[in-house]
């Protein structure tokens, strides 16, 4: 059974201000929940409609009905479980290798997908501007499918951060060097811009290498790629060039 106070807490966590206040977030679905349980994230409470998760301490596990789960779920069609976790402390960014930086990426689905891409391609650090979507937004958590626990993510003033680094700073632009034929650095900060406006002028001023994904379509009329799609192409090509080195 779930109490009114628990319902109030969990539904409140759909809003960023309450997540920040309580330092808690929630995840839904067996795959995502099990991934996070297996990580270093600290479980606060688990709510499930099935007699499973035997590894979870009894004082943190609550068996509830489907109707009760629907009251706390952020999904249109609730899964079978929802777990509340404590937010971990941010890990300092290490100034080497490939680092992904997001300049005002607002869409939760895009952010979640980019986190999964970082996990897939072995990018340990993701730096987000303060205006980017919140990684603990339920839609972001769902889109990461568990990768949230395997990528170090921090929020900062992106211009201040870039002003202190000695790494090459790569930005994606239509007039940049062809990513398939140009010489690319083995390490650096890869900046992906806002869905509608691209990389902001303030951040662009710190870019040391402009790169581009060329268009191959006959008409050449497509204006841009989805930011998560572009991130996948850039990471794949950079990793392909320097795999094994």
């Amino acid at each position: 059974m779930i109490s009114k106070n628990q319902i109030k807490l969990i539904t409140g966590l759909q809003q960023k201000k309450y997540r920040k206040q309580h330092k808690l977030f929630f995840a839904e679905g067996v795959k995502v929940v099990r991934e996070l349980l297996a990580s270093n994230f600290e479980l606060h409470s688990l709510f499930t409609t099935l007699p499973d998760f035997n590894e979870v301490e009894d004082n943190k596990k609550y068996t509830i009905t489907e109707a009760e789960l629907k009251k706390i779920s952020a999904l249109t069609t609730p899964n079978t479980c929802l777990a509340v976790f404590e937010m971990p402390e941010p890990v300092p960014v290490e100034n080497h290798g490939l680092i992904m930086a997001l300049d005002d990426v607002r869409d939760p689905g895009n952010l979640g997908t980019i986190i999964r891409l970082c996990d897939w391609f072995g990018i340990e650090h993701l730096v987000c501007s303060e205006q980017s979507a919140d990684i603990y937004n339920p839609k972001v958590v769902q889109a990461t499918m568990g990768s949230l626990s395997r990528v170090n993510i921090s929020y900062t003033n992106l211009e201040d951060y870039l002003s202190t680094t000695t790494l090459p700073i790569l930005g994606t632009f239509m007039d940049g060097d062809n990513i398939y034929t140009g010489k690319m650095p083995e390490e650096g900060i890869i900046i992906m811009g806002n869905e509608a406006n691209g990389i902001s002028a303030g951040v662009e001023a710190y870019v040391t290498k402009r790169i581009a994904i060329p268009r191959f379509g006959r008409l050449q009329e497509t204006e841009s790629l989805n930011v998560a799609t572009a991130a996948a192409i850039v990471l794949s090509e950079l990793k392909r060039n320097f795999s094994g080195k």
Side-chain angles (χ1 to χ4, degrees):
M1 187 173 178
I2 187 168
S3 70
K4 289 182 180 179
N5 284 340
Q6 288 171 322
I7 293 172
K8 183 179 179 181
L9 171 66
I10 297 166
T11 55
L13 294 179
Q14 294 190 32
Q15 298 181 53
K16 182 178 180 179
K17 65 178 181 179
Y18 291 117
R19 293 194 294 270
K20 187 175 180 180
Q21 176 184 329
H22 296 290
K23 297 188 181 301
L24 298 172
F25 72 98
F26 68 82
E28 298 189 67
V30 174
K31 175 175 172 47
V32 180
V33 169
R34 286 203 179 280
E35 289 266 7
L36 297 181
L37 285 174
S39 73
N40 60 351
F41 282 18
E42 185 69 30
L43 177 68
H44 175 275
S45 49
L46 170 68
F47 302 87
T48 177
T49 61
L50 300 175
D52 50 9
F53 296 102
N54 294 326
E55 71 276 20
V56 175
E57 303 165 50
D58 289 341
N59 64 339
K60 291 187 177 182
K61 184 171 68 172
Y62 302 86
T63 301
I64 61 175
T65 66
E66 290 183 9
E68 288 175 320
L69 180 60
K70 193 170 184 178
K71 289 180 181 179
I72 58 175
S73 175
L75 301 175
T76 304
T77 304
N79 208 295
T80 59
C81 62
L82 180 151
V84 180
F85 292 91
E86 297 179 11
M87 292 182 183
E89 291 296 322
V91 175
V93 179
E94 297 177 5
N95 201 39
H96 64 79
L98 287 175
I99 298 168
M100 178 72 78
L102 305 183
D103 182 14
D104 196 14
V105 171
R106 296 289 186 96
D107 182 82
N110 283 336
L111 177 54
T113 300
I114 289 171
I115 293 170
R116 288 187 72 187
L117 288 168
C118 287
D119 185 20
W120 183 269
F121 286 105
I123 305 301
E124 295 183 8
H125 295 281
L126 174 64
V127 180
C128 301
S129 68
E130 294 165 328
Q131 294 75 34
S132 293
D134 179 20
I135 59 169
Y136 297 115
N137 179 311
K139 292 180 180 178
V140 176
V141 176
Q142 290 305 115
T144 68
M145 295 301 290
S147 292
L148 185 64
S149 64
R150 293 185 291 271
V151 180
N152 299 319
I153 306 164
S154 56
Y155 285 81
T156 189
N157 181 301
L158 204 52
E159 292 179 37
D160 288 348
Y161 166 68
L162 295 175
S163 71
T164 63
T165 186
T166 57
L167 289 172
I169 301 172
L170 289 70
T172 49
F173 299 91
M174 296 298 290
D175 64 349
D177 291 342
N178 186 326
I179 193 170
Y180 299 118
T181 58
K183 182 174 176 56
M184 298 295 148
E186 291 191 48
E187 62 176 6
I189 301 169
I190 309 156
I191 302 173
M192 306 305 299
N194 173 265
E195 290 88 348
N197 304 311
I199 295 173
S200 62
V203 170
E204 181 181 354
Y206 291 97
V207 171
T208 58
K209 185 172 184 60
R210 300 167 73 92
I211 60 175
I213 301 168
R215 292 179 294 189
F216 293 97
R218 182 173 59 86
L219 297 179
Q220 302 280 297
E221 291 182 354
T222 303
E223 290 186 1
S224 63
L225 286 172
N226 168 273
V227 64
T229 301
I233 294 170
V234 170
L235 289 176
S236 178
E237 187 61 17
L238 290 176
K239 285 293 187 177
R240 184 188 68 81
N241 277 329
F242 301 108
S243 59
K245 291 189 178 182

